Amino acid sequence: MSIIDVNGITKVYRQYKRFPGLVGSLRSLVTRQYTEEVAVRDITFSIKEGEAVGYLGPNGAGKSTMIKMMTGILVPTSGQLRVLGSIPHEARQSNSQFIGVVFGQRSQLWWDLPVRDSFDLHKYIYKLSDLTYQKNLNYYSNLLALSSFIEKPVRQLSLGQRMRVEIAMALLHDPKILFLDEPTIGLDVIAKEQIREFLRMINREKKVSIVLTTHDMKDIEEICHRMIVVNKGNMVYDGSVEQLRTTLGDQRQVIIYFREEPKVIEIPGIKLIKDEGLRKTYLFEKSDRTVFDCVNQIASENLIEDVSIESADIDTVIRKLYRKLDEENRTNEL
Ligand code: ADP
Ligand code: MG
């Protein structure tokens, strides 16, 4: 069952031109000249219950705009959008009971108040029962190790601690979907890792569906099975990391440790790129045969000690995707 349906969604920002000075501001009112910017262009996808989806793209790709539309903060310019059956901006109040939202760059906490007060306020706003509130606060406080700073004012927290609090808050009312906009931005490696591990856990154990934006590929690799890649407002990919590797003709490297100097290997699509005596590295370009098949042939003709097959990391895959898009753009412009 799908819980999010995005159908041909477009968002155009209109920015009215301002003229300086008093006369200028009057002129701004009268002329109402504006420029338009298409932040999200004709995007379609749907998300099923229980999924964890990474929304990936460079700065300005339209990620935050999409999250804001899905959470009802912004109204789409055109297209249809449904989250848990409702139109987000029309059902903000009722939808907020079922969704949790975390913005990495904008805090929802009360800066000068102790962390606990922000939680209390959340209890009040969401009309949580004492029982649910205590149970969830204990649960998340344990998992995210909040107890040592829960009585401290938010402003004294490190960024990593604050982000853990933000996430716990967003989950306090047991939402079905958790939206996170760049939840790991600015965090150090260990803090990032804690958050990834936690998100992976609540997706698996608590079945909370997750939609998160990021430009850190590791977020996707560790949390999400599926990724949607956007670029300049357009959706350029929707699928798994593995699928993308295949589509782009992933070049895999195979390191073979021979027992003795092998015969010259002549298999089309295979290239020796590093020769370190008995340890040789081959590049497998796109070929009709599988890597496994080729390694088998080599093994049948030579004495092999060990084999290791290495796939390009996701960073490389995405860079390749962007390069391909750039090339396509240039071809289109010619
Ligand atoms: P991302 O989150 O992927 O970095 P955004 O959704 O924030 O991208 O922005 C997409 C595009 O829309 C950018 O070019 C940005 O400058 C523009 N944009 C974002 N918010 C506004 C706004 N409130 N008014 C005008 N343009 C905006
Ligand atoms: Mg953003």
Side-chain angles (χ1 to χ4, degrees):
M1 200 191 84
S2 76
I3 47 171
I4 299 177
D5 277 300
V6 177
N7 205 329
I9 284 289
T10 293
K11 177 69 189 181
V12 182
Y13 287 111
R14 202 175 254 201
Q15 262 185 324
Y16 286 93
K17 198 169 167 188
R18 288 213 180 80
F19 299 95
L22 178 63
V23 177
S25 57
L26 289 173
R27 200 174 142 207
S28 308
L29 278 173
V30 180
T31 61
R32 304 297 275 164
Q33 287 179 21
Y34 56 81
T35 53
E36 286 191 334
E37 164 140 24
V38 185
V40 169
R41 191 190 304 269
D42 192 20
I43 285 191
T44 299
F45 62 84
S46 68
I47 292 176
K48 290 203 281 290
E49 192 170 0
E51 272 195 287
V53 179
Y55 209 77
L56 182 80
N59 269 334
K63 303 182 296 294
S64 297
T65 303
M66 197 63 192
I67 291 266
K68 285 176 188 162
M69 290 192 283
M70 290 191 283
T71 53
I73 296 168
L74 281 178
V75 185
T77 308
S78 60
Q80 285 90 44
L81 176 54
R82 284 191 178 263
V83 173
L84 297 162
S86 316
I87 298 170
H89 72 270
E90 286 178 4
R92 255 186 101 169
Q93 197 67 30
S94 58
N95 253 8
S96 67
Q97 299 286 331
F98 304 109
I99 66 170
V101 188
V102 175
F103 286 101
Q105 279 158 315
R106 202 182 60 197
S107 181
Q108 310 189 63
L109 306 171
W110 291 80
W111 213 239
D112 292 312
L113 299 183
V115 171
R116 187 184 291 283
D117 290 14
S118 283
F119 283 127
D120 286 345
L121 193 70
H122 194 88
K123 169 184 189 276
Y124 174 77
I125 293 170
Y126 286 84
K127 303 186 176 70
L128 302 181
S129 71
D130 291 343
L131 191 71
T132 310
Y133 177 66
Q134 267 320 321
K135 194 185 78 194
N136 284 351
L137 188 56
N138 286 343
Y139 181 77
Y140 290 117
S141 170
N142 278 336
L143 277 176
L144 289 161
L146 308 181
S147 56
S148 65
F149 49 81
I150 200 161
E151 308 300 343
K152 278 193 190 170
V154 173
R155 69 181 137 73
Q156 287 180 14
L157 269 46
S158 73
L159 187 56
Q161 291 173 332
R162 209 193 77 208
M163 199 49 66
R164 274 142 61 200
V165 172
E166 306 262 3
I167 293 173
M169 264 248 303
L171 288 167
L172 220 50
H173 55 288
D174 288 323
K176 288 182 187 303
I177 312 174
L178 181 61
F179 292 98
L180 306 110
D181 193 16
E182 311 254 11
T184 61
I185 199 160
L187 300 184
D188 62 60
V189 180
I190 292 167
K192 278 185 180 183
E193 209 45 56
Q194 284 174 326
I195 284 180
R196 286 172 186 146
E197 207 171 294
F198 172 78
L199 291 176
R200 196 167 51 212
M201 199 284 292
I202 58 146
N203 175 241
R204 294 212 183 127
E205 308 289 318
K206 296 213 99 186
K207 311 287 179 220
V208 178
S209 307
I210 291 179
V211 181
L212 73 92
T213 70
T214 185
H215 49 251
D216 190 329
M217 322 292 177
K218 274 229 149 51
D219 286 347
I220 308 268
E221 261 186 330
E222 294 188 21
I223 308 164
C224 308
H225 300 284
R226 175 179 168 198
M227 65 174 176
I228 292 175
V229 186
V230 284
N231 194 30
K232 297 177 187 148
N234 300 300
M235 185 160 102
V236 294
Y237 181 76
D238 179 1
S240 67
V241 180
E242 278 65 41
Q243 234 173 294
L244 182 61
R245 284 202 172 106
T246 318
T247 327
L248 290 176
D250 179 25
Q251 296 189 325
R252 294 208 277 183
Q253 289 188 9
V254 177
I255 304 172
I256 302 182
Y257 302 82
F258 293 94
R259 274 207 205 146
E260 52 188 42
E261 187 58 30
K263 290 180 246 164
V264 176
I265 288 163
E266 279 181 37
I267 302 177
I270 294 181
K271 207 162 66 190
L272 178 66
I273 54 167
K274 207 158 154 202
D275 192 344
E276 300 158 300
L278 294 180
R279 182 183 194 268
K280 299 189 197 295
T281 307
Y282 298 90
L283 185 70
F284 279 65
E285 289 164 328
K286 209 173 173 183
S287 125
D288 299 338
R289 303 173 61 187
T290 63
V291 172
F292 187 73
D293 201 20
C294 297
V295 172
N296 258 343
Q297 186 185 334
I298 298 171
S300 69
E301 295 163 2
N302 299 279
L303 278 175
I304 284 181
E305 184 76 40
D306 199 4
V307 178
S308 95
I309 302 179
E310 291 175 3
S311 240
D313 65 10
I314 177 173
D315 267 291
T316 316
V317 174
I318 295 292
R319 264 202 304 278
K320 207 166 160 187
L321 175 66
Y322 287 158
R323 239 193 342 262
K324 191 170 149 241
L325 291 170
D326 270 352
E327 280 162 17
E328 280 170 9
N329 274 341
R330 249 173 277 135
T331 326
N332 289 343
E333 279 161 15
L334 289 178

PDB file of all heavy atoms in Angstrom, residues 24 47 49 52 59 65 75 77 90 100 138-139 157 171 198-199 218 245 248 256 294 298 309 328 330:
ATOM      1  N   GLY A  24      11.031  53.598  -4.988  1.00  0.00           N
ATOM      2  CA  GLY A  24      11.213  52.242  -5.515  1.00  0.00           C
ATOM      3  C   GLY A  24      10.221  51.272  -4.931  1.00  0.00           C
ATOM      4  O   GLY A  24       9.633  50.453  -5.651  1.00  0.00           O
ATOM      5  N   ILE A  47       5.626   6.042  -2.613  1.00  0.00           N
ATOM      6  CA  ILE A  47       6.387   5.371  -1.568  1.00  0.00           C
ATOM      7  C   ILE A  47       5.461   4.443  -0.795  1.00  0.00           C
ATOM      8  O   ILE A  47       4.346   4.828  -0.431  1.00  0.00           O
ATOM      9  CB  ILE A  47       7.051   6.416  -0.643  1.00  0.00           C
ATOM     10  CG1 ILE A  47       8.135   7.176  -1.433  1.00  0.00           C
ATOM     11  CG2 ILE A  47       7.665   5.747   0.589  1.00  0.00           C
ATOM     12  CD1 ILE A  47       8.807   8.289  -0.676  1.00  0.00           C
ATOM     13  N   GLU A  49       4.385   1.747   2.331  1.00  0.00           N
ATOM     14  CA  GLU A  49       4.516   1.661   3.779  1.00  0.00           C
ATOM     15  C   GLU A  49       5.781   0.886   4.145  1.00  0.00           C
ATOM     16  O   GLU A  49       6.065  -0.157   3.571  1.00  0.00           O
ATOM     17  CB  GLU A  49       3.278   0.957   4.334  1.00  0.00           C
ATOM     18  CG  GLU A  49       3.174   1.077   5.815  1.00  0.00           C
ATOM     19  CD  GLU A  49       1.830   0.592   6.338  1.00  0.00           C
ATOM     20  OE1 GLU A  49       0.982   0.152   5.532  1.00  0.00           O
ATOM     21  OE2 GLU A  49       1.661   0.630   7.562  1.00  0.00           O
ATOM     22  N   ALA A  52      12.283   2.965   3.227  1.00  0.00           N
ATOM     23  CA  ALA A  52      13.210   4.024   3.617  1.00  0.00           C
ATOM     24  C   ALA A  52      13.807   4.550   2.319  1.00  0.00           C
ATOM     25  O   ALA A  52      14.516   3.827   1.627  1.00  0.00           O
ATOM     26  CB  ALA A  52      14.300   3.491   4.537  1.00  0.00           C
ATOM     27  N   ASN A  59      23.207  20.792  -4.104  1.00  0.00           N
ATOM     28  CA  ASN A  59      22.538  21.986  -3.597  1.00  0.00           C
ATOM     29  C   ASN A  59      21.657  22.617  -4.654  1.00  0.00           C
ATOM     30  O   ASN A  59      22.045  22.717  -5.809  1.00  0.00           O
ATOM     31  CB  ASN A  59      23.575  23.018  -3.144  1.00  0.00           C
ATOM     32  CG  ASN A  59      23.904  22.838  -1.682  1.00  0.00           C
ATOM     33  OD1 ASN A  59      23.079  22.329  -0.919  1.00  0.00           O
ATOM     34  ND2 ASN A  59      25.102  23.230  -1.295  1.00  0.00           N
ATOM     35  N   THR A  65      12.444  21.753  -1.002  1.00  0.00           N
ATOM     36  CA  THR A  65      11.140  22.169  -1.532  1.00  0.00           C
ATOM     37  C   THR A  65      10.181  20.974  -1.563  1.00  0.00           C
ATOM     38  O   THR A  65       9.017  21.084  -1.179  1.00  0.00           O
ATOM     39  CB  THR A  65      11.316  22.754  -2.950  1.00  0.00           C
ATOM     40  OG1 THR A  65      12.238  23.840  -2.875  1.00  0.00           O
ATOM     41  CG2 THR A  65       9.998  23.245  -3.514  1.00  0.00           C
ATOM     42  N   VAL A  75       2.712  24.821  -0.832  1.00  0.00           N
ATOM     43  CA  VAL A  75       1.665  24.361  -1.748  1.00  0.00           C
ATOM     44  C   VAL A  75       2.274  24.169  -3.135  1.00  0.00           C
ATOM     45  O   VAL A  75       2.923  25.083  -3.648  1.00  0.00           O
ATOM     46  CB  VAL A  75       0.531  25.410  -1.822  1.00  0.00           C
ATOM     47  CG1 VAL A  75      -0.622  24.907  -2.682  1.00  0.00           C
ATOM     48  CG2 VAL A  75       0.054  25.757  -0.422  1.00  0.00           C
ATOM     49  N   THR A  77       2.732  24.104  -7.138  1.00  0.00           N
ATOM     50  CA  THR A  77       2.184  24.950  -8.197  1.00  0.00           C
ATOM     51  C   THR A  77       1.241  24.138  -9.084  1.00  0.00           C
ATOM     52  O   THR A  77       0.192  24.615  -9.486  1.00  0.00           O
ATOM     53  CB  THR A  77       3.337  25.533  -9.050  1.00  0.00           C
ATOM     54  OG1 THR A  77       4.271  26.158  -8.175  1.00  0.00           O
ATOM     55  CG2 THR A  77       2.814  26.552 -10.051  1.00  0.00           C
ATOM     56  N   GLU A  90      -3.709  20.900   2.811  1.00  0.00           N
ATOM     57  CA  GLU A  90      -5.109  21.081   3.216  1.00  0.00           C
ATOM     58  C   GLU A  90      -5.400  20.391   4.538  1.00  0.00           C
ATOM     59  O   GLU A  90      -6.357  20.718   5.228  1.00  0.00           O
ATOM     60  CB  GLU A  90      -6.053  20.511   2.138  1.00  0.00           C
ATOM     61  CG  GLU A  90      -6.118  21.392   0.918  1.00  0.00           C
ATOM     62  CD  GLU A  90      -7.005  20.797  -0.171  1.00  0.00           C
ATOM     63  OE1 GLU A  90      -7.622  19.732   0.075  1.00  0.00           O
ATOM     64  OE2 GLU A  90      -7.062  21.402  -1.246  1.00  0.00           O
ATOM     65  N   GLY A 100       6.298  12.812  11.298  1.00  0.00           N
ATOM     66  CA  GLY A 100       7.303  13.501  12.100  1.00  0.00           C
ATOM     67  C   GLY A 100       8.229  14.216  11.134  1.00  0.00           C
ATOM     68  O   GLY A 100       8.498  13.700  10.053  1.00  0.00           O
ATOM     69  N   ASN A 138      11.050   7.552  27.525  1.00  0.00           N
ATOM     70  CA  ASN A 138      12.033   6.604  28.062  1.00  0.00           C
ATOM     71  C   ASN A 138      12.724   5.828  26.955  1.00  0.00           C
ATOM     72  O   ASN A 138      13.943   5.691  26.933  1.00  0.00           O
ATOM     73  CB  ASN A 138      11.370   5.598  29.011  1.00  0.00           C
ATOM     74  CG  ASN A 138      11.031   6.244  30.338  1.00  0.00           C
ATOM     75  OD1 ASN A 138      11.559   7.301  30.662  1.00  0.00           O
ATOM     76  ND2 ASN A 138      10.138   5.618  31.085  1.00  0.00           N
ATOM     77  N   TYR A 139      11.899   5.338  26.047  1.00  0.00           N
ATOM     78  CA  TYR A 139      12.401   4.509  24.957  1.00  0.00           C
ATOM     79  C   TYR A 139      13.453   5.256  24.127  1.00  0.00           C
ATOM     80  O   TYR A 139      14.569   4.782  23.941  1.00  0.00           O
ATOM     81  CB  TYR A 139      11.223   4.083  24.084  1.00  0.00           C
ATOM     82  CG  TYR A 139      11.572   3.199  22.921  1.00  0.00           C
ATOM     83  CD1 TYR A 139      11.833   1.840  23.098  1.00  0.00           C
ATOM     84  CD2 TYR A 139      11.610   3.717  21.619  1.00  0.00           C
ATOM     85  CE1 TYR A 139      12.132   1.024  22.024  1.00  0.00           C
ATOM     86  CE2 TYR A 139      11.910   2.905  20.537  1.00  0.00           C
ATOM     87  CZ  TYR A 139      12.179   1.558  20.750  1.00  0.00           C
ATOM     88  OH  TYR A 139      12.471   0.770  19.676  1.00  0.00           O
ATOM     89  N   LEU A 157      23.797  22.329  24.000  1.00  0.00           N
ATOM     90  CA  LEU A 157      24.020  21.013  23.383  1.00  0.00           C
ATOM     91  C   LEU A 157      24.957  21.104  22.175  1.00  0.00           C
ATOM     92  O   LEU A 157      24.973  22.119  21.474  1.00  0.00           O
ATOM     93  CB  LEU A 157      22.680  20.424  22.924  1.00  0.00           C
ATOM     94  CG  LEU A 157      21.900  19.550  23.896  1.00  0.00           C
ATOM     95  CD1 LEU A 157      21.822  20.155  25.277  1.00  0.00           C
ATOM     96  CD2 LEU A 157      20.525  19.247  23.356  1.00  0.00           C
ATOM     97  N   LEU A 171       9.561  11.780  16.859  1.00  0.00           N
ATOM     98  CA  LEU A 171       9.018  10.417  16.942  1.00  0.00           C
ATOM     99  C   LEU A 171       8.108  10.210  18.147  1.00  0.00           C
ATOM    100  O   LEU A 171       7.489   9.161  18.286  1.00  0.00           O
ATOM    101  CB  LEU A 171      10.174   9.411  17.004  1.00  0.00           C
ATOM    102  CG  LEU A 171      10.949   9.211  15.704  1.00  0.00           C
ATOM    103  CD1 LEU A 171      12.243   8.461  15.980  1.00  0.00           C
ATOM    104  CD2 LEU A 171      10.111   8.473  14.672  1.00  0.00           C
ATOM    105  N   PHE A 198      20.560   4.567  14.286  1.00  0.00           N
ATOM    106  CA  PHE A 198      19.264   4.717  14.919  1.00  0.00           C
ATOM    107  C   PHE A 198      18.130   4.709  13.876  1.00  0.00           C
ATOM    108  O   PHE A 198      17.116   4.029  14.041  1.00  0.00           O
ATOM    109  CB  PHE A 198      19.232   6.013  15.740  1.00  0.00           C
ATOM    110  CG  PHE A 198      17.869   6.334  16.259  1.00  0.00           C
ATOM    111  CD1 PHE A 198      17.374   5.663  17.368  1.00  0.00           C
ATOM    112  CD2 PHE A 198      17.069   7.266  15.622  1.00  0.00           C
ATOM    113  CE1 PHE A 198      16.098   5.933  17.839  1.00  0.00           C
ATOM    114  CE2 PHE A 198      15.795   7.545  16.082  1.00  0.00           C
ATOM    115  CZ  PHE A 198      15.314   6.873  17.193  1.00  0.00           C
ATOM    116  N   LEU A 199      18.297   5.444  12.789  1.00  0.00           N
ATOM    117  CA  LEU A 199      17.245   5.518  11.774  1.00  0.00           C
ATOM    118  C   LEU A 199      17.008   4.159  11.128  1.00  0.00           C
ATOM    119  O   LEU A 199      15.872   3.752  10.881  1.00  0.00           O
ATOM    120  CB  LEU A 199      17.601   6.555  10.702  1.00  0.00           C
ATOM    121  CG  LEU A 199      17.586   8.013  11.175  1.00  0.00           C
ATOM    122  CD1 LEU A 199      18.050   8.946  10.054  1.00  0.00           C
ATOM    123  CD2 LEU A 199      16.197   8.429  11.658  1.00  0.00           C
ATOM    124  N   LYS A 218      26.684   8.167   2.067  1.00  0.00           N
ATOM    125  CA  LYS A 218      26.734   7.142   3.108  1.00  0.00           C
ATOM    126  C   LYS A 218      25.387   7.044   3.826  1.00  0.00           C
ATOM    127  O   LYS A 218      24.988   5.972   4.245  1.00  0.00           O
ATOM    128  CB  LYS A 218      27.851   7.451   4.110  1.00  0.00           C
ATOM    129  CG  LYS A 218      29.195   6.929   3.682  1.00  0.00           C
ATOM    130  CD  LYS A 218      29.837   6.163   4.838  1.00  0.00           C
ATOM    131  CE  LYS A 218      30.736   5.016   4.409  1.00  0.00           C
ATOM    132  NZ  LYS A 218      31.731   5.373   3.422  1.00  0.00           N
ATOM    133  N   ARG A 245      24.148   1.040 -10.563  1.00  0.00           N
ATOM    134  CA  ARG A 245      25.468   0.533 -10.970  1.00  0.00           C
ATOM    135  C   ARG A 245      25.366  -0.205 -12.290  1.00  0.00           C
ATOM    136  O   ARG A 245      26.165  -0.013 -13.192  1.00  0.00           O
ATOM    137  CB  ARG A 245      25.996  -0.453  -9.931  1.00  0.00           C
ATOM    138  CG  ARG A 245      26.513   0.207  -8.712  1.00  0.00           C
ATOM    139  CD  ARG A 245      27.475  -0.724  -8.000  1.00  0.00           C
ATOM    140  NE  ARG A 245      28.106   0.014  -6.925  1.00  0.00           N
ATOM    141  CZ  ARG A 245      27.819  -0.150  -5.641  1.00  0.00           C
ATOM    142  NH1 ARG A 245      26.954  -1.056  -5.271  1.00  0.00           N
ATOM    143  NH2 ARG A 245      28.401   0.582  -4.737  1.00  0.00           N
ATOM    144  N   LEU A 248      24.581   2.085 -15.326  1.00  0.00           N
ATOM    145  CA  LEU A 248      25.699   2.920 -15.762  1.00  0.00           C
ATOM    146  C   LEU A 248      26.857   2.091 -16.288  1.00  0.00           C
ATOM    147  O   LEU A 248      27.894   2.624 -16.640  1.00  0.00           O
ATOM    148  CB  LEU A 248      26.185   3.794 -14.608  1.00  0.00           C
ATOM    149  CG  LEU A 248      25.243   4.906 -14.181  1.00  0.00           C
ATOM    150  CD1 LEU A 248      25.788   5.627 -12.975  1.00  0.00           C
ATOM    151  CD2 LEU A 248      25.010   5.896 -15.315  1.00  0.00           C
ATOM    152  N   ILE A 256      43.215 -10.526  -8.559  1.00  0.00           N
ATOM    153  CA  ILE A 256      43.475 -11.965  -8.509  1.00  0.00           C
ATOM    154  C   ILE A 256      44.883 -12.213  -7.968  1.00  0.00           C
ATOM    155  O   ILE A 256      45.848 -11.600  -8.423  1.00  0.00           O
ATOM    156  CB  ILE A 256      43.324 -12.613  -9.903  1.00  0.00           C
ATOM    157  CG1 ILE A 256      41.903 -12.344 -10.437  1.00  0.00           C
ATOM    158  CG2 ILE A 256      43.588 -14.123  -9.839  1.00  0.00           C
ATOM    159  CD1 ILE A 256      41.617 -12.969 -11.785  1.00  0.00           C
ATOM    160  N   CYS A 294      33.937 -14.841 -16.062  1.00  0.00           N
ATOM    161  CA  CYS A 294      35.300 -14.573 -16.519  1.00  0.00           C
ATOM    162  C   CYS A 294      36.331 -15.087 -15.518  1.00  0.00           C
ATOM    163  O   CYS A 294      37.344 -15.675 -15.907  1.00  0.00           O
ATOM    164  CB  CYS A 294      35.508 -13.080 -16.728  1.00  0.00           C
ATOM    165  SG  CYS A 294      34.456 -12.392 -18.010  1.00  0.00           S
ATOM    166  N   ILE A 298      39.415 -17.796 -16.034  1.00  0.00           N
ATOM    167  CA  ILE A 298      40.809 -17.565 -15.652  1.00  0.00           C
ATOM    168  C   ILE A 298      41.280 -18.661 -14.687  1.00  0.00           C
ATOM    169  O   ILE A 298      42.373 -19.203 -14.814  1.00  0.00           O
ATOM    170  CB  ILE A 298      40.991 -16.169 -15.016  1.00  0.00           C
ATOM    171  CG1 ILE A 298      40.616 -15.085 -16.036  1.00  0.00           C
ATOM    172  CG2 ILE A 298      42.420 -15.973 -14.524  1.00  0.00           C
ATOM    173  CD1 ILE A 298      40.554 -13.678 -15.480  1.00  0.00           C
ATOM    174  N   ILE A 309      36.577  -9.215  -5.566  1.00  0.00           N
ATOM    175  CA  ILE A 309      35.858  -8.396  -6.544  1.00  0.00           C
ATOM    176  C   ILE A 309      35.430  -7.112  -5.856  1.00  0.00           C
ATOM    177  O   ILE A 309      34.842  -7.138  -4.781  1.00  0.00           O
ATOM    178  CB  ILE A 309      34.619  -9.154  -7.065  1.00  0.00           C
ATOM    179  CG1 ILE A 309      35.051 -10.478  -7.696  1.00  0.00           C
ATOM    180  CG2 ILE A 309      33.851  -8.297  -8.076  1.00  0.00           C
ATOM    181  CD1 ILE A 309      33.924 -11.319  -8.221  1.00  0.00           C
ATOM    182  N   GLU A 328      24.668  14.645 -21.640  1.00  0.00           N
ATOM    183  CA  GLU A 328      23.377  14.648 -22.338  1.00  0.00           C
ATOM    184  C   GLU A 328      22.879  16.070 -22.543  1.00  0.00           C
ATOM    185  O   GLU A 328      22.374  16.418 -23.601  1.00  0.00           O
ATOM    186  CB  GLU A 328      22.334  13.844 -21.542  1.00  0.00           C
ATOM    187  CG  GLU A 328      22.487  12.355 -21.755  1.00  0.00           C
ATOM    188  CD  GLU A 328      21.637  11.547 -20.786  1.00  0.00           C
ATOM    189  OE1 GLU A 328      20.809  12.151 -20.063  1.00  0.00           O
ATOM    190  OE2 GLU A 328      21.801  10.326 -20.755  1.00  0.00           O
ATOM    191  N   ARG A 330      24.703  18.760 -22.809  1.00  0.00           N
ATOM    192  CA  ARG A 330      25.487  19.424 -23.842  1.00  0.00           C
ATOM    193  C   ARG A 330      25.060  18.959 -25.235  1.00  0.00           C
ATOM    194  O   ARG A 330      24.933  19.754 -26.134  1.00  0.00           O
ATOM    195  CB  ARG A 330      26.991  19.156 -23.626  1.00  0.00           C
ATOM    196  CG  ARG A 330      27.704  20.431 -23.204  1.00  0.00           C
ATOM    197  CD  ARG A 330      29.130  20.167 -22.826  1.00  0.00           C
ATOM    198  NE  ARG A 330      29.247  19.711 -21.465  1.00  0.00           N
ATOM    199  CZ  ARG A 330      29.992  18.692 -21.057  1.00  0.00           C
ATOM    200  NH1 ARG A 330      30.676  17.992 -21.952  1.00  0.00           N
ATOM    201  NH2 ARG A 330      30.047  18.361 -19.813  1.00  0.00           N
TER     202      ARG A 330
END
